Amino acid sequence: MIRNSEVKANIYVLTENPGDIAIRCKERKDEIEAVLSEKVKTEKTEVWKLLEIAAEHAYGYKPADVIYKKLPCGKWIGDKFYFSLSHTFGASAVIVSDKPCGIDIENIDKFRKKCEDANFLPSFLKAIGCEEVKDAESALTVWTRKESVFKTREQQVFSPKKISAEGDKTRSFVFDGFIMSATCDFPCDISFYKVVGGIPKRFHPVRSFS
């Protein structure tokens, strides 16, 4: 199933328009076309294009080589490898692996802007079951960790209070104004790539922590 058995987990991020973003998977293309928000439609298109770039870079699979399908829970899967997608204002992220995985990326400044409302952060922390956290960046980190854990599962409803953010299979990363968390079968080798001009280039997050 996996062509390169040495690949454990690769994370790809995109912070620019990828150019040609025609989607080859008809079912996914039709689903995205039905989205009313042009902003969300663009983000979903870009992150799927990023997935196609990741699949070819990590495993050598062209878009036509992979059969994608949507599970009843709403999660998309492929027949050649495991993957997870995330997008936020200004960035998309994809993780591909030979084991179940999940990823979430969030824009730090956008979240801090919301926290200017004194009532927002306490309400947010209560909703995700983490009221002991006091600052915006820590709160957003907890959220991304819970999201990434959820995305490894075939569940339809995200209930953050029921998900632990402290698992040893989750890591968090900070770079370029974004917080990203990934859940996989750690410890494993993990490589980071930023896609520039459609080409993945190695990079290292400014900060990473378990």
Side-chain angles (χ1 to χ4, degrees):
M1 186 166 143
I2 299 296
R3 291 186 181 181
N4 182 356
S5 61
E6 294 181 357
V7 174
K8 296 301 182 183
N10 281 9
I11 291 177
Y12 298 81
V13 297
L14 178 71
T15 57
E16 62 175 30
N17 189 314
D20 174 20
I21 52 176
I23 291 177
R24 276 68 173 181
C25 175
K26 183 180 183 303
E27 292 79 7
R28 181 58 172 160
K29 181 179 179 181
D30 290 346
E31 182 181 61
I32 293 174
E33 285 298 320
V35 174
L36 297 178
S37 167
E38 288 300 321
K39 173 182 173 295
V40 175
K41 185 182 296 186
T42 298
E43 289 178 354
K44 288 182 177 292
T45 302
E46 289 183 352
V47 77
W48 195 269
K49 180 62 179 179
L50 182 59
L51 170 63
E52 293 181 349
I53 292 171
E56 184 169 359
H57 181 262
Y59 303 120
Y61 291 118
K62 300 287 187 181
D65 296 333
V66 185
I67 298 174
Y68 296 102
K69 70 175 183 179
K70 187 178 181 180
L71 299 177
C73 66
K75 178 179 180 178
W76 282 87
I77 63 171
D79 67 334
K80 300 293 193 297
F81 53 88
Y82 294 96
F83 69 89
S84 181
L85 315 174
S86 183
H87 55 85
T88 187
F89 180 80
S92 301
V94 170
I95 183 172
V96 295
S97 181
D98 51 357
K99 295 183 180 292
C101 53
I103 198 166
D104 188 54
I105 187 170
E106 300 292 344
N107 185 300
I108 299 172
D109 285 343
K110 293 286 285 186
F111 188 76
R112 285 183 178 141
K113 188 72 174 176
K114 292 180 180 180
C115 292
E116 290 177 4
D117 178 344
N119 296 319
F120 174 79
L121 187 57
S123 297
F124 178 84
L125 292 170
K126 184 176 181 179
I128 67 173
C130 196
E131 294 176 79
E132 67 275 14
V133 172
K134 302 301 179 184
D135 65 281
E137 185 173 316
S138 297
L140 193 56
T141 300
V142 170
W143 172 266
T144 62
R145 292 176 72 86
K146 288 174 178 278
E147 274 269 21
S148 70
V149 171
F150 170 72
K151 289 180 177 180
T152 66
R153 305 170 180 175
E154 295 180 9
Q155 296 178 342
Q156 193 164 9
V157 179
F158 177 46
S159 301
K161 280 189 174 181
K162 298 179 181 180
I163 298 174
S164 171
E166 303 302 324
D168 60 2
K169 293 186 177 183
T170 303
R171 288 183 184 171
S172 299
F173 314 92
V174 178
F175 67 97
D176 296 353
F178 299 98
I179 291 178
M180 178 173 66
S181 290
T183 299
C184 197
D185 192 12
F186 295 114
C188 74
D189 293 331
I190 185 165
S191 299
F192 295 87
Y193 298 88
K194 184 178 290 186
V195 176
V196 180
I199 301 173
K201 298 183 178 181
R202 286 293 297 267
F203 87 103
H204 299 282
V206 174
R207 187 155 46 94
S208 64
F209 46 96
S210 299

